[in-house]
Amino acid sequence: ADHVLHLTPANTLIRHNGIEFHYGEEIPQFTEMTVDMHDPEDGAEIKATGVVVSCAGDRHKGFQVSMVLMDLNTQNQARLSLLAYSNLA
């Protein structure tokens, strides 16, 4: 995991199995990253390994990156599902 990203809630969508975010630089598909997030409800940390599965866009408008999160324990998977559900509200 060579990359460190600082993402804001404003440009990050939580999905039940990963995240989507807008980023200024292209990130190659299959790039592995460490992801640290904080649950906005209680501040609890969600830590996982993420792999980029899609990166579409251009250098002028930026890139929409989709990342699948792996190695989530049961508690963090449940938190992610709740956060994904709250995104739809």
Side-chain angles (χ1 to χ4, degrees), residues 31-67:
T31 298
E32 189 172 302
M33 299 180 178
T34 300
V35 178
D36 292 327
M37 296 184 291
H38 294 275
D39 187 327
E41 292 296 314
D42 61 8
E45 187 176 53
I46 300 172
K47 213 181 218 358
T49 299
V51 175
V52 174
V53 294
S54 172
C55 184
D58 61 54
R59 60 188 176 127
H60 303 290
K61 295 179 183 172
F63 296 87
Q64 190 66 25
V65 181
S66 296
M67 180 181 288

Side-chain angles (χ1 to χ4, degrees), residues 60-75:
H60 303 290
K61 295 179 183 172
F63 296 87
Q64 190 66 25
V65 181
S66 296
M67 180 181 288
V68 171
L69 300 180
M70 306 178 304
D71 304 329
L72 286 168
N73 64 31
T74 305
Q75 183 180 13

